Amino acid sequence: PDFFTAMRFIRPYKILKDKNYLSDEDDQLMQQTIKSGLDYILQTQEWGPMNRSALRMETLAWALAALPHHPDATKWAVLHNALRQDNWGNWEIEDATVYHPVWLYALIGAAEASCELTALFKLPEMYYYGQYFVNLMAPDGMIPDFGDARYLENWARYLLWFEAAAKNYNSGENKWAAETIVNR
């Protein structure tokens, strides 16, 4: 029931389910676990384009991909679409470098769940962030912290962002940033 990790449970479930690796009993147990986790996560609402709402959007995207015929799927879709409108094709409103990669990571996960990675990286905001973070790279090989950030805390999410941007934009600059973080 943690909005930072729920999607990391649902995605592997979908993979195992799609490959028919689960018994009926295990499948039912996983579905119940996903539903109860979503019930907990959705007890409070997040508003606006920020990292926590994007994480909920990603979790809902994976739940809809994994359980499209679940009795709660319509309810999940309504909330997913509301959170998506706030985040997809918009700017991240947080003012600290600790939050930007969480938001971008969640957008990538949601786009993967809904088979829309190509569409995500066609958005001008995503291209902007690809350039913005490359230009923020400090001489020590990481994005400097500002706002209420904690230095080096999100290096793995920045690494994923730069790798995804490098692939989708065929960008040597983003690849350089990813390799710089790895070497750091």
Side-chain angles (χ1 to χ4, degrees):
D2 177 349
F3 62 78
F4 280 99
T5 59
M7 70 294 288
R8 307 294 168 251
F9 174 82
I10 301 171
R11 182 176 185 262
Y13 161 74
K14 181 180 181 335
I15 292 168
L16 293 171
K17 179 182 148 191
D18 289 350
K19 293 185 179 289
N20 295 315
Y21 286 148
L22 299 173
S23 68
D24 288 343
E25 182 179 301
D26 287 341
D27 184 51
Q28 287 302 312
L29 177 62
M30 301 287 255
Q31 287 187 39
Q32 290 169 354
T33 303
I34 290 168
K35 183 200 177 323
S36 66
L38 284 172
D39 287 348
Y40 178 82
I41 288 170
L42 301 178
Q43 285 181 13
T44 59
Q45 177 65 50
E46 294 290 345
W47 297 102
M50 58 187 174
N51 64 64
R52 294 185 317 208
S53 70
L55 288 164
R56 290 172 191 250
M57 175 192 65
E58 180 189 7
T59 299
L60 289 160
W62 280 112
L64 290 165
L67 301 171
H69 304 295
H70 190 278
D72 289 344
T74 301
K75 177 174 72 174
W76 299 340
V78 168
L79 183 54
H80 171 266
N81 291 335
L83 295 173
R84 179 184 160 109
Q85 272 189 309
D86 287 340
N87 289 282
W88 191 275
N90 287 306
W91 302 101
E92 213 281 324
I93 64 169
E94 300 284 5
D95 61 351
T97 52
V98 72
Y99 300 124
H100 292 117
V102 173
W103 181 73
L104 292 166
Y105 189 85
L107 280 169
I108 290 169
E112 182 183 357
S114 58
C115 301
E116 295 181 293
L117 263 175
T118 301
L120 176 69
F121 280 94
K122 286 183 179 178
L123 296 171
E125 294 83 4
M126 296 302 102
Y127 182 77
Y128 169 85
Y129 283 117
Q131 296 300 303
Y132 175 68
F133 288 117
V134 164
N135 286 290
L136 276 180
M137 290 289 288
D140 73 347
M142 191 55 205
I143 305 296
D145 57 343
F146 56 80
D148 65 348
R150 290 176 292 282
Y151 191 57
L152 298 178
E153 181 168 312
N154 273 325
W155 68 268
R157 288 186 178 101
Y158 276 115
L159 173 61
L160 176 120
W161 165 252
F162 283 129
E163 284 289 350
K167 179 181 178 186
N168 285 279
Y169 297 129
N170 194 25
S171 167
E173 292 175 328
N174 281 277
K175 186 64 176 174
W176 165 82
E179 290 174 357
T180 300
I181 290 172
V182 167
N183 292 332
R184 165 84 166 89

